[in-house]
Amino acid sequence: MTKKLLFFSFVLTFSLGFSQQNKDYSFSLQEAITFALDSNYTSINARRDIAKAIKQKWETTAQGLPQIDGTVSYQNNLKQPVTLIPGEFGGGEPGTFTPVTFGTKQNANAVATLNQLIFDGSYLVGLKAAKAFLRFSENANEKTRLEVRKGVINAYGSVLLAQELVAIFEKNKTNLEDNLFETRKIFENGLTEEENVEQLEITLLDIETQLSNARRSQKIAKQMFNLALGIDVFTPVILTDSLDELADNNISLTLLDASLNIEDNVDYKIAYNLTEQRFFEMRLEKSKYLPRLSAFVNYGTSANSNDFSFFNGDQKWYQSSVLGVSLNIPIFSSGMRSASTQRAQIALEQAKTDFEQSKQQIKLDLTSARSNYQFAIENYKNSKKNLALAERIENKNQIKFTEGLGASFDLRQAQTQLYTAQQQYFQSMFQVINEKANLETVLNIPQLRIDSETIKKQY
């Protein structure tokens, strides 16, 4: 009975593990974004950066709080040192020396010391710098989440685009194979030229090559999408949204007129944080001109014996305690502190210049993102019209060719034009989705900030 139970447990555990490893996922685009914000590898480490900044903030704060250290020491003088004293001290002859051994052979000490920082300019600056670094980590995490969102949208669209291309190439291949079969039969009956067969063969070879490449690209796109989600690249994933639905849903003309509060842009926040850090670095260098005041108090006990009797009840322990204050006043550093302060001041000016450049770059990015998004919408609408025209042209040439009124070269041109229009149409839908995501990233839409209090609960 016990063996059967163990075997059943093993099978159940193996089955559960196997099913978890081969778990299937199904996502709409929004579901994929939500999943990736939590599971993407970069997003996970960005949250850990906030946790590290929180710990660093407390580490800095704790430096100004009471510090207690304890020491316990034991000493066994295997060979005690001998001191020579003048012989006359013990009643001996002048000019002679008497060897004397001082102290006991074994000693034990235990001391506890409390240190307290009273004033240190660098400590005060460090507290403010730690808070600024925490804000930087939070903004960096927000930037990461926006980039993860944009990356998932791109990867999701890439998979859908690859699927559409594979489907249309397979459809075109089937149609060409039917045309080629019929044309060969007509040629075998002597009713058409061999060139017509060869033209169709050339077109079919091109389509087969593009189909093979599209299938490989589809596999890679799926693996890249899984990587963006933070799951195994070989895990099966089903996408529930279609490319044309996403394209239509991502056309928002009102977004083109959306205003930007530059202070909400995450790149602005990060650039400002870097300026803050350089400012506190300069303040830190200036604080080195100030004195440092600290205090301490300790309490200790010691015992001495020729034998190891420190744990005996009759062993005598002698108590001691010291209270002290230390004041360190910087006086002269041969210009070292001055040079460090000036260097920090120059770095601050550089950060201010970079900050101004970042503000202008954000404005340029917004203009560029709006332009690209508007072009993507216009290109999508035109590509849709071009596809309809190309389909009609190809259909007319197909009819002419079938009835013997058109040349095979004209049919091949019409088919090539149709295939190009099909790819451009799908690419234009993909472009609409991506360019909207780029514009939303510049506008910081949606807000994806995580408060540090949330991270504290996780770590």
Side-chain angles (χ1 to χ4, degrees):
M1 181 67 181
T2 304
K3 291 183 178 180
K4 290 182 178 180
L5 181 61
L6 290 174
F7 177 76
F8 176 75
S9 300
F10 172 77
V11 172
L12 180 61
T13 303
F14 178 80
S15 300
L16 288 174
F18 184 79
S19 63
Q20 289 175 357
Q21 292 178 358
N22 293 273
K23 180 180 179 181
D24 291 344
Y25 293 93
S26 177
F27 296 109
S28 66
L29 176 57
Q30 189 56 50
E31 289 171 344
I33 292 172
T34 302
F35 184 91
L37 290 177
D38 183 64
S39 301
N40 177 272
Y41 303 115
T42 307
S43 185
I44 291 173
N45 277 338
R47 293 196 297 272
R48 288 171 177 160
D49 284 337
I50 295 180
K52 286 164 56 180
I54 293 173
K55 302 303 180 183
Q56 182 173 335
K57 179 185 174 184
W58 176 248
E59 180 183 347
T60 304
T61 303
Q63 292 177 7
L65 301 179
Q67 311 287 323
I68 299 177
D69 299 314
T71 59
V72 177
S73 64
Y74 164 74
Q75 181 178 340
N76 188 333
N77 297 304
L78 299 177
K79 192 69 175 178
Q80 289 181 274
V82 176
T83 303
L84 299 178
I85 62 174
E88 56 263 42
F89 287 1
E93 294 292 332
T96 63
F97 294 91
T98 302
V100 179
T101 300
F102 291 99
T104 57
K105 188 176 182 181
Q106 301 187 50
N107 307 288
N109 296 276
V111 180
T113 303
L114 184 147
N115 293 283
Q116 175 61 59
L117 179 65
I118 299 176
F119 175 80
D120 188 348
S122 62
Y123 172 72
L124 299 177
V125 175
L127 286 177
K128 296 180 180 179
K131 294 178 181 178
F133 182 69
L134 177 56
R135 290 193 294 271
F136 169 79
S137 299
E138 290 174 340
N139 291 330
N141 177 69
E142 183 180 6
K143 171 75 171 178
T144 298
R145 289 168 68 81
L146 285 169
E147 292 299 326
V148 167
R149 176 183 182 272
K150 185 169 69 172
V152 170
I153 292 173
N154 180 276
Y156 197 101
S158 296
V159 175
L160 293 179
L161 174 61
Q163 290 176 347
E164 293 288 354
L165 290 177
V166 168
I168 199 65
F169 285 142
E170 288 177 344
K171 178 182 177 181
N172 292 338
K173 180 174 178 290
T174 301
N175 292 337
L176 278 171
E177 287 174 340
D178 292 342
N179 288 344
L180 180 59
F181 177 78
E182 293 176 0
T183 305
R184 277 178 177 160
K185 291 297 182 182
I186 295 173
F187 169 70
E188 290 172 358
N189 292 327
L191 300 177
T192 188
E193 298 180 0
E194 185 178 10
E195 181 184 347
N196 294 334
V197 177
E198 294 172 341
Q199 288 285 359
L200 289 174
E201 287 177 341
I202 292 174
T203 307
L204 180 58
L205 287 173
D206 289 341
I207 287 295
E208 288 176 342
T209 302
Q210 294 184 53
L211 175 59
S212 298
N213 183 60
R215 285 172 175 166
R216 291 192 297 268
S217 298
Q218 183 181 18
K219 291 181 181 179
I220 296 173
K222 287 182 176 179
Q223 292 181 7
M224 292 179 65
F225 176 66
N226 286 12
L227 182 63
L229 292 181
I231 60 178
D232 188 275
V233 294
F234 295 110
T235 300
V237 177
I238 299 173
L239 308 187
T240 58
D241 288 334
S242 63
L243 189 62
D244 55 347
E245 288 176 350
L246 285 181
D248 291 335
N249 293 337
N250 278 274
I251 294 178
S252 174
L253 298 179
T254 57
L255 191 63
L256 293 170
D257 298 324
S259 60
L260 169 66
N261 182 2
I262 194 169
E263 294 182 0
D264 290 336
N265 181 273
V266 68
D267 290 324
Y268 174 94
K269 297 175 186 177
I270 292 176
Y272 179 77
N273 289 146
L274 294 175
T275 304
E276 271 189 317
Q277 291 181 27
R278 297 297 176 265
F279 172 75
F280 288 123
E281 287 174 4
M282 184 194 67
R283 291 285 299 274
L284 178 63
E285 296 300 329
K286 287 185 175 181
S287 69
K288 294 179 181 179
Y289 286 92
L290 301 175
R292 185 178 190 274
L293 180 63
S294 60
F296 75 93
V297 60
N298 69 16
Y299 180 84
T301 181
S302 62
N304 305 282
S305 176
N306 284 321
D307 300 317
F308 193 87
S309 59
F310 302 112
F311 295 105
N312 296 343
D314 57 352
Q315 175 66 53
K316 290 185 177 181
W317 290 83
Y318 301 94
Q319 317 300 314
S320 64
S321 182
V322 178
L323 172 66
V325 178
S326 174
L327 179 64
N328 183 10
I329 304 174
I331 298 176
F332 181 68
S333 65
S334 298
M336 180 180 65
R337 284 190 293 271
S338 176
S340 297
T341 303
Q342 292 175 20
R343 174 182 53 78
Q345 178 66 47
I346 294 172
L348 174 59
E349 296 301 324
Q350 287 179 316
K352 289 180 178 179
T353 301
D354 291 340
F355 181 46
E356 289 299 321
Q357 182 181 6
S358 296
K359 289 193 289 186
Q360 300 305 319
Q361 184 64 50
I362 292 169
K363 295 176 183 178
L364 176 60
D365 290 343
L366 178 59
T367 303
S368 178
R370 280 175 175 163
S371 176
N372 292 339
Y373 182 48
Q374 187 168 8
F375 172 76
I377 295 174
E378 294 170 352
N379 187 48
Y380 169 59
K381 293 178 179 178
N382 290 336
S383 297
K384 196 171 186 178
K385 295 177 182 178
N386 289 340
L387 177 60
L389 291 172
E391 287 175 344
R392 288 200 296 270
I393 293 172
E394 193 273 342
N395 185 54
K396 291 177 183 178
N397 280 272
Q398 183 68 49
I399 295 172
K400 290 180 181 180
F401 177 76
T402 304
E403 295 178 352
L405 302 176
S408 58
F409 181 78
D410 293 334
L411 175 60
R412 186 171 187 275
Q413 275 192 322
Q415 289 172 333
T416 303
Q417 182 176 259
L418 173 61
Y419 303 154
T420 301
Q422 289 170 339
Q423 295 180 53
Q424 289 177 346
Y425 174 63
F426 293 128
Q427 288 283 356
S428 68
M429 289 192 286
F430 177 67
Q431 187 179 17
V432 167
I433 299 169
N434 275 350
E435 294 301 337
K436 182 172 183 279
N438 291 334
L439 179 56
E440 288 173 334
T441 301
V442 177
L443 294 171
N444 211 31
I445 301 174
Q447 296 286 338
L448 297 175
R449 189 174 184 82
I450 289 185
D451 187 73
S452 59
E453 294 299 324
T454 304
I455 303 297
K456 281 184 180 179
K457 298 177 182 178
Q458 299 178 359
Y459 298 90

